[in-house]
Amino acid sequence: MFGTLGSLQAVVTLLLSLAAFAAEVFALVDGLRYKPEVYAAAGKRTKKFWTIVLSVAAVLGFVSVGASGRIFSIGLIAFVGAAIYLADVRPALRSMVGRGGGGGQHMGPYGPW
């Protein structure tokens, strides 16, 4: 299917860089949805800080799509910013605003679900 191991590596690198770029764009769009007050209420850095981090990550991710070597490494480092947002900040922000606007939430024995 693939002529050489090098071409397989190029395809894998392209797929990984596209997935990282998609995650960076998703994180940026998600971060822009919340009001600055929600960041403060969640005890996280400011919206401006996260907008800058995620914008830089998305730009570097775009530049590194399909690249190899140092540029690909920069793209992976940029992905770390988006990953931190998605793993730590986003869940805290979502817990502040709730799902569905707060109406219709069911209460379980340990809180809403």
Side-chain angles (χ1 to χ4, degrees):
M1 181 170 171
F2 297 101
T4 65
L5 184 60
S7 63
L8 176 61
Q9 183 178 5
V11 170
V12 170
T13 301
L14 176 64
L15 292 176
L16 286 174
S17 59
L18 282 173
F21 177 60
E24 292 155 359
V25 170
F26 174 79
L28 175 61
V29 171
D30 187 74
L32 292 173
R33 293 177 347 143
Y34 297 99
K35 295 180 181 179
E37 300 83 32
V38 177
Y39 285 84
K44 300 300 176 185
R45 302 285 303 252
T46 64
K47 179 177 183 173
K48 182 177 180 179
F49 172 83
W50 281 108
T51 300
I52 292 169
V53 168
L54 297 173
S55 296
V56 169
V59 168
L60 292 176
F62 177 75
V63 169
S64 69
V65 169
S68 62
R70 289 183 187 176
I71 295 175
F72 181 74
S73 298
I74 291 171
L76 288 178
I77 292 169
F79 175 72
V80 171
I84 290 170
Y85 172 84
L86 292 171
D88 180 46
V89 179
R90 184 174 187 252
L93 298 177
R94 288 176 55 119
S95 72
M96 289 293 113
V97 295
R99 295 185 188 172
Q105 286 188 358
H106 296 43
M107 291 299 289
Y110 303 108
W113 52 277

